[in-house]
């Protein structure tokens, strides 16, 4: 299943780049990823690492996705949202991610 593969690929990406996934929720049309990383990595770089590695492998595993939906394009949309936790605790962010409505897996 694609959602399980996304979890696996995000875990591999985190391990490879030295990030720690604190929370991950996958909806049908977006992902909430709460990650702790070394400040040497910019938010744009972290987003690119997760999106490029997982997208490449998902399209290899599920070529029908590329053919049916993307006409040869990429898996992820170009944009992303980044927020920092300086003003709130990790627990608040984790609770938000867990309590946000998501389609059951």
């Amino acid at each position: 299943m694609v959602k399980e593969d996304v979890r696996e690929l995000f875990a591999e990406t985190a391990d490879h780049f030295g990030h720690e996934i604190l929370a991950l929720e996958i909806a049908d049309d977006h992902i909430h990823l709460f990650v702790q990383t070394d400040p040497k990595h910019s938010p744009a770089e972290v987003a690119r690492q997760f999106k490029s590695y997982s997208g490449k492998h998902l399209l290899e595993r599920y070529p029908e996705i590329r053919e049916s939906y993307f006409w040869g394009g990429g898996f992820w949309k170009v944009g992303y949202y980044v927020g920092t936790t300086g003003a709130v605790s990790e627990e608040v962010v984790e609770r938000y991610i867990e309590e946000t409505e998501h389609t059951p897996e």
Side-chain angles (χ1 to χ4, degrees), residues 42-57:
S42 72
E45 180 183 4
V46 172
R48 181 191 51 76
Q49 291 166 347
F50 281 98
K51 290 170 70 172
S52 65
Y53 181 79
S54 62
K56 175 183 182 290
H57 289 283

Side-chain angles (χ1 to χ4, degrees), residues 15-56:
D15 287 343
H16 179 77
F17 289 101
H19 309 311
E20 180 183 356
I21 295 176
L22 302 176
L24 173 64
E25 287 294 332
I26 302 170
D28 287 341
D29 62 350
H30 68 279
I31 291 177
H32 288 266
L33 174 65
F34 183 30
V35 62
Q36 182 173 338
T37 189
D38 189 303
K40 71 180 180 183
H41 298 288
S42 72
E45 180 183 4
V46 172
R48 181 191 51 76
Q49 291 166 347
F50 281 98
K51 290 170 70 172
S52 65
Y53 181 79
S54 62
K56 175 183 182 290

Side-chain angles (χ1 to χ4, degrees), residues 5-6 8-9 12 56-64:
D5 285 348
V6 169
E8 173 190 325
L9 293 166
E12 289 174 12
K56 175 183 182 290
H57 289 283
L58 288 168
L59 290 174
E60 287 174 357
R61 293 178 189 184
Y62 301 96
E64 67 276 9

